[in-house]
Amino acid sequence: MGNFDIHILGCGSALPTTRHLATSQVLNIREKLFMIDCGEGTQIQLRRSRLKFSRLNHIFISHLHGDHCFGLIGLISTFAMTNRTADLHIYSHPELQRLMEPQLAFFCKGMPFQVVFHPFDPKERAIIYDDRSITVETIPLKHRLPTCGFLFREKPLPNHILRDMIDFYEVPVYLINRIKNGEDFVTEDGTVVPNERLTTPAEPPRAYAYCSDTAYLPRIVEQIKGVDLLFHEATFAQTEAARAKETMHSTASQAAQIAKDAEVKRLVIGHYSARYEDESILLEEASAVFPNTTLAQENLKIEL
Amino acid sequence: MGNFDIHILGCGSALPTTRHLATSQVLNIREKLFMIDCGEGTQIQLRRSRLKFSRLNHIFISHLHGDHCFGLIGLISTFAMTNRTADLHIYSHPELQRLMEPQLAFFCKGMPFQVVFHPFDPKERAIIYDDRSITVETIPLKHRLPTCGFLFREKPLPNHILRDMIDFYEVPVYLINRIKNGEDFVTEDGTVVPNERLTTPAEPPRAYAYCSDTAYLPRIVEQIKGVDLLFHEATFAQTEAARAKETMHSTASQAAQIAKDAEVKRLVIGHYSARYEDESILLEEASAVFPNTTLAQENLKIEL
């Protein structure tokens, strides 16, 4: 089983502080990197993370507030100066393309790769990325402008071959892939060897859900049911519940309620309001509802 | 005499590293703040500096490479979210306005202040800012696209009154300002008291020259003659002289040669290429030509 790591590059909210940077995360899924959001300073954090810039080909933008996308132009400029040739794919609300193209034309003129925009409608649930090993699905959210989260889901992995049994039954090589994928084996004399004797099940596919920014939105529970890790914004503590509602953000306990109802394995909260000198109140309030909660912080890496 | 401080917010070059951020500086001149250049991450560094955001009303952009202006949109967005009402003045090549206006219209819609663009031609030497206490003059430079430096010059200060002498000669209050500005005093009986008996001279006006990015350009020497502090880019060491010429940057020793020829009091070098793990070679090469050289670094504050 390859890696499936979440790197938090920034987990502050709209106003950067000396403690938190604007939102960005990188998923390292079997050495392919996927970025979610790209606030100002992201490329600096990416440099710090020691992740390889060249492995990043896909960037997903949840919504067009500056703290989620102002780092794009700097990151792309850096790619343009460092001999990147692979196309860079950006998945976002269509408006981003209109805003970025004049900047790219001026600041990145003649760059040796294409920026390919993949516009989508954040209000619709849809699979917007699909490769051999994962799918990425939008999670429509409720915020002050069109916003969605992203559900990264591994595809089922083939079973593991039991080498000794394969040898014992003299299974020919050309059948191995079919057996990995669950077929039984029939010997020359017609005996059926059930798949369970020849393989052990693969690890269950892993899933990560990213939900930021959003008001408390119980309808997402069904979509993110049982994921291994949920990142949910928790901009405010309970005392600021009215402000959360007004600005269409969530409180820590609302984030935890979502995690609990969705029966996720683990919750990470972030997108902290600049008003908190430390986030212990947020952790406390979330943990009271959903104990397996972690505070996001810059340079935190979580392995699934 | 009020303060005249230079705060280095970032002093790297095009590629940010884990050691240096993109270019930005803030001048604190008698509690008015003036920003020069605004690379990505500037607002975060400004927060770290503890300088008051509300005192910053004027931003000067040397040229339109991303490492000198990508931080503007984030900084302005933050101003828009923090109840700023004072207009913000940006002095730059006219192209910046064209690039920024669609972004401002989208990301900062309805903000409670105006961004006022003051376009200028970087190829012409001109005074682009003038208030009670300072002038800012462009210093045309030589780079891959239109670029200029900035010369911040204090206006002459009034002399200091010698209180005892004023009392002794019974100088009336309404004459004090004229005496501060150099007039002699004539007593009732017609005796002329020369100004030197009534005042001590003010401190000489201070001047700061910022020259980045530029190829070695001896013709600026005349314009920056004798300034108290020169910031000059020193992207490369001597071994990279060919690369400096090709990319229209300067070596450390070229920066120092300018400082020496201009007889400045002190030189600060910066805009280091990402290739240097530390800048000791640059300091060494510059100091060999002009001993009073300092390496810029993030969060360095220099008082004139």
Side-chain angles (χ1 to χ4, degrees):
Chain A
M1 190 167 64
N3 52 350
F4 194 130
D5 308 331
I6 289 90
H7 295 258
I8 307 286
L9 303 187
C11 58
S13 60
L15 295 176
T17 64
T18 52
R19 303 182 55 247
H20 294 296
L21 295 167
T23 301
S24 185
Q25 305 187 356
V26 170
L27 274 56
N28 181 355
I29 304 179
R30 307 184 205 175
E31 302 312 325
K32 275 189 186 176
L33 303 184
F34 300 89
M35 181 174 281
I36 304 176
D37 287 339
C38 186
E40 184 176 357
T42 292
Q43 65 164 326
I44 300 154
Q45 285 293 93
L46 187 60
R47 186 78 67 186
R48 281 202 185 106
S49 75
R50 309 267 169 203
L51 291 164
K52 286 211 171 165
F53 279 48
S54 61
R55 292 191 188 276
L56 173 61
N57 296 317
H58 302 279
I59 302 179
F60 299 84
I61 302 294
S62 64
H63 67 297
L64 300 186
H65 277 153
D67 57 321
H68 294 254
C69 63
F70 282 167
L72 279 170
I73 186 67
L75 180 65
I76 296 169
S77 293
T78 290
F79 280 143
M81 283 182 278
T82 48
N83 300 322
R84 180 192 178 98
T85 52
D87 289 348
L88 181 69
H89 299 271
I90 300 183
Y91 305 78
S92 78
H93 187 282
E95 190 72 9
L96 185 66
Q97 181 170 4
R98 186 187 69 78
L99 287 162
M100 290 212 67
E101 277 185 343
Q103 297 179 65
L104 293 172
F106 184 84
F107 292 110
C108 306
K109 203 172 158 181
M111 65 179 169
F113 64 94
Q114 296 285 316
V115 176
V116 183
F117 287 93
H118 300 265
F120 63 79
D121 179 357
K123 286 183 200 141
E124 299 290 329
R125 180 168 159 178
I127 289 175
I128 56 170
Y129 177 85
D130 186 340
D131 71 14
R132 227 161 42 134
S133 45
I134 66 158
T135 58
V136 182
E137 192 178 313
T138 53
I139 308 168
L141 298 173
K142 185 179 170 185
H143 195 44
R144 303 195 303 277
L145 77 190
T147 302
C148 70
F150 301 106
L151 178 58
F152 285 75
R153 204 182 270 291
E154 261 186 327
K155 292 184 176 174
L157 295 163
N159 292 337
H160 297 292
I161 289 292
L162 292 169
R163 181 54 56 192
D164 288 353
M165 301 307 282
I166 295 295
D167 291 347
F168 179 82
Y169 288 108
E170 296 178 344
V171 178
V173 169
Y174 76 94
L175 286 178
I176 296 289
N177 266 336
R178 282 150 72 172
I179 293 194
K180 278 187 181 174
N181 286 315
E183 278 189 25
D184 297 334
F185 175 59
V186 184
T187 61
E188 272 180 22
D189 64 6
T191 311
V192 173
V193 183
N195 190 273
E196 306 86 84
R197 297 216 56 182
L198 300 168
T199 68
T200 53
E203 297 76 8
R206 295 162 290 185
Y208 171 64
Y210 170 90
C211 297
S212 186
D213 299 355
T214 189
Y216 176 59
L217 191 63
R219 76 162 144 73
I220 67 174
V221 163
E222 163 267 327
Q223 190 180 357
I224 64 174
K225 201 86 186 179
V227 297
D228 298 270
L229 181 67
L230 167 64
F231 177 92
H232 197 289
E233 73 132 288
T235 309
F236 295 109
Q238 201 52 47
T239 51
E240 302 292 329
R243 177 119 185 98
K245 196 166 181 181
E246 183 197 348
T247 58
M248 298 200 191
H249 283 297
S250 299
T251 64
S253 60
Q254 286 169 338
Q257 191 63 47
I258 296 288
K260 185 181 175 186
D261 294 344
E263 297 170 337
V264 309
K265 297 205 180 72
R266 182 175 176 184
L267 170 67
V268 177
I269 55 172
H271 201 267
Y272 315 121
S273 163
R275 77 192 61 209
Y276 301 107
E277 285 289 317
D278 74 82
E279 294 81 29
S280 51
I281 180 71
L282 301 174
L283 181 59
E284 220 169 85
E285 292 184 3
S287 299
V289 178
F290 186 83
N292 196 6
T293 300
T294 304
L295 285 175
Q297 61 184 56
E298 279 68 16
N299 311 313
L300 176 68
K301 174 185 172 186
I302 300 173
E303 302 181 14
L304 298 193
Chain B
M1 190 166 65
N3 52 349
F4 193 131
D5 309 332
I6 289 90
H7 295 256
I8 307 286
L9 304 186
C11 57
S13 60
L15 296 176
T17 64
T18 53
R19 303 182 55 249
H20 293 296
L21 295 167
T23 301
S24 185
Q25 305 187 356
V26 170
L27 273 56
N28 181 354
I29 304 178
R30 308 185 204 174
E31 302 312 325
K32 276 189 186 175
L33 304 184
F34 301 87
M35 181 175 279
I36 305 175
D37 287 340
C38 187
E40 184 176 357
T42 292
Q43 66 164 325
I44 300 153
Q45 286 294 93
L46 187 60
R47 186 79 67 187
R48 279 202 186 109
S49 74
R50 308 269 170 201
L51 292 164
K52 286 213 171 163
F53 278 48
S54 61
R55 292 192 187 274
L56 173 61
N57 295 316
H58 302 278
I59 302 179
F60 299 84
I61 302 295
S62 64
H63 67 298
L64 301 185
H65 277 153
D67 56 323
H68 293 254
C69 64
F70 282 167
L72 279 170
I73 186 68
L75 180 65
I76 297 169
S77 293
T78 291
F79 280 142
M81 284 183 277
T82 48
N83 300 321
R84 181 193 177 97
T85 53
D87 289 348
L88 182 69
H89 299 269
I90 301 183
Y91 305 80
S92 79
H93 187 282
E95 189 72 9
L96 185 66
Q97 181 170 6
R98 186 187 69 78
L99 288 161
M100 290 213 69
E101 277 184 343
Q103 297 179 65
L104 292 172
F106 184 85
F107 291 111
C108 306
K109 203 172 157 182
M111 65 179 167
F113 64 95
Q114 296 286 316
V115 176
V116 183
F117 287 93
H118 300 265
F120 63 80
D121 178 358
K123 287 182 200 141
E124 299 291 329
R125 180 169 158 177
I127 289 176
I128 56 171
Y129 176 85
D130 186 340
D131 71 12
R132 227 162 41 134
S133 44
I134 65 158
T135 58
V136 182
E137 190 177 315
T138 53
I139 308 168
L141 298 173
K142 185 179 171 186
H143 195 44
R144 303 195 302 277
L145 78 189
T147 302
C148 70
F150 301 106
L151 178 58
F152 285 74
R153 203 182 271 291
E154 260 185 327
K155 292 184 175 174
L157 294 163
N159 292 338
H160 299 292
I161 290 291
L162 292 169
R163 182 54 57 192
D164 289 352
M165 302 306 282
I166 295 295
D167 291 348
F168 179 82
Y169 289 107
E170 296 178 343
V171 178
V173 169
Y174 76 93
L175 286 178
I176 296 288
N177 267 338
R178 281 150 73 173
I179 292 190
K180 277 187 182 173
N181 286 315
E183 277 188 25
D184 296 335
F185 174 59
V186 184
T187 60
E188 273 181 21
D189 64 6
T191 313
V192 174
V193 183
N195 191 273
E196 306 88 83
R197 296 215 57 180
L198 301 168
T199 67
T200 52
E203 297 76 8
R206 295 161 290 185
Y208 172 63
Y210 170 91
C211 297
S212 186
D213 299 355
T214 189
Y216 176 58
L217 192 62
R219 75 161 144 73
I220 67 174
V221 163
E222 163 268 325
Q223 191 181 355
I224 64 174
K225 201 85 186 180
V227 298
D228 298 270
L229 182 67
L230 167 64
F231 176 93
H232 197 290
E233 73 131 291
T235 309
F236 296 108
Q238 201 52 47
T239 51
E240 302 292 330
R243 177 119 184 95
K245 194 167 182 180
E246 183 197 347
T247 58
M248 297 199 193
H249 283 297
S250 299
T251 64
S253 61
Q254 286 170 338
Q257 191 63 49
I258 296 288
K260 185 181 175 186
D261 293 345
E263 297 170 337
V264 309
K265 297 207 181 71
R266 183 175 175 184
L267 170 67
V268 177
I269 55 172
H271 200 269
Y272 314 121
S273 163
R275 76 193 59 207
Y276 301 106
E277 286 290 316
D278 74 82
E279 294 80 29
S280 50
I281 180 70
L282 301 175
L283 182 60
E284 219 169 86
E285 291 184 3
S287 299
V289 177
F290 186 82
N292 196 7
T293 300
T294 305
L295 286 174
Q297 61 184 55
E298 280 67 16
N299 311 315
L300 176 68
K301 174 185 171 187
I302 299 173
E303 303 180 14
L304 297 194

